[in-house]
Each structure stands twice: as C-alpha cells, then as structure tokens.
Amino acid sequence: FQESLERLNPNVIIVVAFRMLPEKVWRFPKYGTFNLHASLLPQYRGAAPIHWAIINGETETGVTTFFIDDKIDTGEIILQEKATIESDDTVGDLHDRLMHLGTGTVIKTLELIKEDKAIPLPQPKSKDFKTAYKLNAENTKINWERPIKDIYNHVRGLNPFPVAYTMIQNGDEELRAKLYSVKLLQENHSHDLGKLVIKDNELYIAGHGGYLVIEEMQLPNKKRMAVKDLLNGFTFDAYAYAF
C-alpha cells in the first residue's frame, strides 16, 4: 500500500469513517491528512458519535474536520459545522443529514488548505468530554431501571442500526426482541417496570415516568414488523415483562 501511495503521490489525504492509519501514511502528503468526524470535537471522540449524541439526549451536534495525529480524534481542528438534533430523530435520520453536511464541510476544508487559509486549532485537553464508545451487546441492551425518556433516546439512537434490544419473559419463553420505531408516553402509572401492556391493538412497556409505545419490533425468527401486524398472529402472556 505504501508503494502505491508513493506512486500516486497525493498532496492531501481525506479520511472518512476509517480505522486508525499508520503515521507513515498520514504524514506522507505535503498538505497533511485530515479526517471528517461526525461530532463537534472534542465532544464524542470515538467510534459511534452519531449514536451517542442521540442516546445522551443532545439537541445539537455537527461535523468536524481535523488534521490526523497519533491518537484517536485528537488532532488540530480545521473546520466545524453545527446541526440540530430533533426530538424524534433516529440515528438513521441524523446520519443522513450529517452525511450531506459533511460533504460540504470537506469541500470547504479543501478550499481552505488550497488557499493556505486553514488555521488549525488545538483541541482542549480537559478529560470531561463525552465519549462515543463502541457499541456492543451490553450497551445496546435496554435498562428498564432508567427513566422512560432515557430509554426512548436509547432506542432512537440505535435505530435502524445496530438496534436496541430487550429480553421479554413470555410465559416459559425468554425472547430477545429488537425495538425499532417507538413513541414516548410520559404519564404516571401503577405497573411494574418492564410490564407489557396491550391496549387497543397497541403495545406499551412500562417504565419510570411513563410508557414506551412500541410501533415496530422484531422477535426471534421473525422479520421486522409493525406491532399491530405482529399482534394479529402472536400472543403475549398476560404476565409478560421486559428485562
């Protein structure tokens, strides 16, 4: 690869959604190597910045271009553009908006470099910034002890990929259910946490401070379905609960 790079002899390299590069690669171009990152650095350094911004209930995010250095997402910032996070955005919605915003930001960054107007700024060194951790089976599982709004944010921050999930005790069966489209219903109730409530062909799951109204979900060995269609052919036990 290094030999191919030398033959190509780029004067700048742009990195988008890729792993960490060896120093001999990112130092090679005359004008450096810059990365497009989907957050307002130094907030949300790491692998999943779009997901965690929604999961954590942020109302604003954006994109950043920065010159790569020998650490993860710590290089000097060239340019940033902000974007609003709507209260019902999924990670898919926000990903697509940031993709288009990022396209323009990369072009503007190239123009600054070409015209020798880029003024890179070092990132602050505080340790209090939020991190965009890798997503795994542990942190994509719903914790029903959390406030219901946090659970709502958690689900939309993982829809449509990699998808939040919960276990459901349905009679003698334990089902691993993926939750896609949901709505938030904040109201007082007397149900135990995680209790499945079916009313008027709708599925509610009780939490602290309200219900998660499930609109689309996927059960084991079934396709992703609208809950109204699922309930036509699948029966949840009267004592079923999510955990």
Side-chain angles (χ1 to χ4, degrees), residues 166-184:
T166 186
M167 301 304 296
I168 295 177
Q169 189 70 49
N170 189 46
D172 295 332
E173 280 190 299
E174 284 189 6
L175 306 173
R176 190 180 192 274
K178 295 180 179 181
L179 304 187
Y180 288 88
S181 179
V182 297
K183 290 191 298 187
L184 175 64

Side-chain angles (χ1 to χ4, degrees), residues 180-196:
Y180 288 88
S181 179
V182 297
K183 290 191 298 187
L184 175 64
L185 179 59
Q186 293 179 286
E187 65 178 36
N188 294 327
H189 63 79
S190 58
H191 293 293
D192 293 336
L193 295 181
K195 177 74 173 68
L196 269 65

